[in-house]
Amino acid sequence: MSKSKTSKRVAPSRPVSALLPLIGLADREILTRLVVTGCVAAAANLISLMSLSAELNGWMRGEVLDTPFLIFCLSLLVSYAFSKRFVGLVLTTAFSALAGVRRRFLQTVTLGNHADILDMQARRSFDLGNHHLERIAALLPNLSIAANMMLVAVVAYLYLWTLTTVGATLLLVAGAMIGGWYVREAQRTRALLGQAKESEVRMLQGFSEIVGGNAEIKLGKARRDELTQAVEADVARWEDLKRRHGRNLGELFSWIATIVIGFSAVFVFIFPRMGALSAAELPLVTSVILFLARPLSKFLNAVPDYIAAEDAANQLTTLLATMPAAEYAPSKLARAPRRFSAIELRGVRFAYRAGLRPEPFVIGPIDMTIPAGGVVGIVGANGSGKSTLLRVIPLLFRPDEGQVLLDGQEVEGDRLESYRDLFCAVFQDHHLFTRLPQGPTFDAELFREMLAYLKIDHLVPETGDGLLNRDLSKGQRRRVALAVAVAEGRPIIILDEWTSDQDAEFRTRFTNEIIGKLRSLGRTVIFVSHDGNASSVCDVTIHMTNGQMTNSQMTDERTDAPRPATALLQETA
């Protein structure tokens, strides 16, 4: 059976913004709706300002005007309604897109290639991805308000242009100069933030080392001092960088506030003396300038947030690009057959990708047959490929060459899901879930029976809600996991060195009793063991050495004498 190869992706040109496509705001229809909604809100804001200015001029002339007041009230209501709609549309679209990213995480874990998921260190990658996603989600409300304020500033500036072209031009030039300086300073500040992040990561790794190896460092002063000094150095560097970052931000915003107020003074003190503004225009122009200060200040304050969100979006986009595609489309109708005759592996080879192991490792070619209801033992030394073969058989690791057949038919494409549903496994790195399966195929009575049989029932009380006690030793957890596997009712049980964490009683019972118990329940058992004597309970025994099958034999039920496993291949062909 050939495994689909992952095609090499051609690196696309980097987009201007990673954030906007990620949160769904690069869509033309959405952008059009946002611009129209924001401009209506901005125009209403400006009209309210103009009505205030008109009322002020009326009072200065000794007149009381009712119309500006009515316009002010109406425009204020329109501004509120459309600003609320603008922010709501941004956040609704963005959070829907981020929820889609989380659903993609879920699909990758459940349907992605198992080897690819191991290769990308799934737990760390998804934790990191969710961290970046949460950073973006936390910054979005402030950024949406800042975007609305920016549209207000644009509309106000266009109105200023109609009042004084010279003033608007000077404001544009000054804004470009300030913006260029601000971007340069923001990049410098961002660099400090990046360095602080690197120090923080090293610091947290150091804390993790100290916590994880707490017993060891308490027994060795030299090692403890070495780790402590390294963490203290990272803490000191993080503190210094954060202080410099804070000082830079404070200086940046102080200068911007000073420049905005100073520029307003130019319109008040200089333009009237130059004849560029009349006394009648001065209050309105000054009001517009001061009005511009608020949205500009809000926008500039949001720039560091935007930079942080872009940084998180870039890293999240990079992570999404490395995620494996789904192996198959899930089907609600796919059900594994509860009866089968045999599973065959013909010429199967599997090679680890770079990154999964420190050096290349290949198993195969593997030719073997697993009879229904039989017991298959895979034995060999450490690193011989036993556990790898155990993941190839249920196609968790897809072979690079060869075929896997179920009752003579190759397992491929839409048959993969139902084939895997034949198996239930307790791997070395097994995960004991917090809750028991709730489906109709789970036999709760058999589960309690198996717990008693494995002498673990007193530590796993019935809770009524399916919750499991996981505060157990490794050996106890393996016994609970085996009880769950049996109660799930699947026809094949895989056990990966199940006895490795058991005491002497259960190591002995495994071959003398437990295998027989599973066989009596009609289960096909495939297990890995270091114990060469385990072949006495096996129908088929596979010996592995450096990824190769060095010996394969089956036991004749009539004579209990071993014979080559190829005989079974001939019988089932």
Side-chain angles (χ1 to χ4, degrees), residues 149-224:
M149 290 292 99
M150 189 57 191
L151 285 174
V152 170
V154 170
V155 172
Y157 176 78
L158 293 176
Y159 178 65
L160 179 65
W161 191 279
T162 64
L163 296 176
T164 167
T165 305
V166 175
T169 304
L170 287 175
L171 183 61
L172 181 63
V173 172
M177 293 174 61
I178 294 171
W181 172 70
Y182 181 85
V183 168
R184 187 178 68 252
E185 290 298 313
Q187 288 174 343
R188 187 161 66 94
T189 301
R190 182 183 179 183
L192 288 174
L193 200 59
Q195 294 172 28
K197 185 66 179 176
E198 292 174 4
S199 295
E200 183 180 10
V201 169
R202 287 196 303 270
M203 176 181 65
L204 294 176
Q205 288 174 344
F207 274 118
S208 179
E209 289 269 321
I210 290 172
V211 172
N214 196 256
E216 288 79 0
I217 66 170
K218 289 186 185 303
L219 295 175
K221 181 179 183 302
R223 184 62 168 157
R224 182 180 69 243

Side-chain angles (χ1 to χ4, degrees), residues 86 118 146 231 239 266 312 321:
F86 178 91
L118 293 181
V231 173
E239 179 186 14
V266 170

Side-chain angles (χ1 to χ4, degrees), residues 101 180 213 228 325 370 431 456 472:
V101 172
T228 302
I370 301 167
H431 177 80
I456 196 71
L472 305 168

Side-chain angles (χ1 to χ4, degrees), residues 255-530:
W255 271 110
I256 289 170
T258 303
I259 290 171
V260 169
I261 294 173
F263 200 83
S264 303
V266 170
F267 281 84
V268 176
F269 296 113
I270 298 177
F271 274 30
R273 289 177 170 81
M274 294 172 56
L277 280 178
S278 66
E281 294 173 326
L282 184 59
L284 181 57
V285 171
T286 304
S287 298
V288 173
I289 293 295
L290 294 175
F291 177 77
L292 272 168
R294 174 175 169 266
L296 284 175
S297 177
K298 181 66 179 176
F299 174 76
L300 292 173
N301 285 337
V303 169
D305 289 345
Y306 177 76
I307 291 173
E310 274 288 349
D311 180 61
N314 274 313
Q315 296 188 55
L316 193 54
T317 302
T318 301
L319 174 62
L320 290 171
T322 64
M323 286 187 176
E327 292 184 288
Y328 54 84
S331 171
K332 294 182 178 180
L333 302 177
R335 291 291 183 271
R338 291 301 169 181
R339 296 180 181 273
F340 69 98
S341 298
I343 293 172
E344 298 175 52
L345 276 67
R346 295 180 180 174
V348 166
R349 289 178 181 268
F350 172 78
Y352 279 98
R353 295 174 183 78
L356 280 177
R357 289 175 69 112
E359 56 186 35
F361 185 78
V362 180
I363 68 165
I366 303 294
D367 292 284
M368 63 180 291
T369 296
I370 301 167
V375 176
V376 178
I378 304 172
V379 298
N382 285 336
S384 60
K386 305 185 303 299
S387 295
T388 301
L389 177 57
L390 211 57
R391 290 181 188 260
V392 170
I393 291 171
L395 293 179
L396 290 175
F397 288 171
R398 307 282 295 279
D400 298 296
E401 298 177 16
Q403 293 178 308
V404 175
L405 298 96
L406 175 66
D407 294 337
Q409 295 186 4
E410 185 175 4
V411 179
E412 202 168 37
D414 57 359
R415 302 188 70 225
L416 180 60
E417 184 175 18
S418 59
Y419 172 76
R420 285 178 177 167
D421 205 40
L422 289 168
F423 299 85
C424 204
V426 182
F427 290 112
Q428 289 187 62
D429 56 350
H430 74 284
H431 177 80
L432 187 62
F433 291 92
T434 57
R435 189 179 294 273
L436 289 171
Q438 302 296 308
T441 59
F442 184 78
D443 189 336
E445 185 177 338
L446 180 57
F447 172 66
R448 299 305 309 179
E449 178 187 323
M450 286 300 300
L451 288 178
Y453 177 74
L454 296 169
K455 297 184 179 181
I456 196 71
D457 55 322
H458 62 290
L459 295 177
V460 187
E462 289 190 68
T463 60
D465 54 6
L467 290 175
L468 277 176
N469 171 29
R470 301 199 303 168
D471 188 17
L472 305 168
S473 68
K474 287 184 179 180
Q476 291 169 338
R477 289 164 71 95
R478 284 181 187 271
R479 279 185 266 162
V480 173
L482 176 56
V484 172
V486 171
E488 284 198 71
R490 300 183 205 173
I492 305 174
I493 293 180
I494 288 176
L495 301 173
D496 188 3
E497 298 195 28
W498 185 83
T499 60
S500 62
D501 295 305
Q502 303 298 335
D503 54 28
E505 176 190 355
F506 281 95
R507 286 199 296 272
T508 302
R509 286 186 64 190
F510 181 72
T511 51
N512 292 348
E513 298 179 27
I514 295 174
I515 293 294
K517 173 74 171 177
L518 298 177
R519 186 197 288 268
S520 71
L521 291 170
R523 307 304 161 80
T524 302
V525 182
I526 307 171
F527 71 91
V528 159
S529 175
H530 287 293

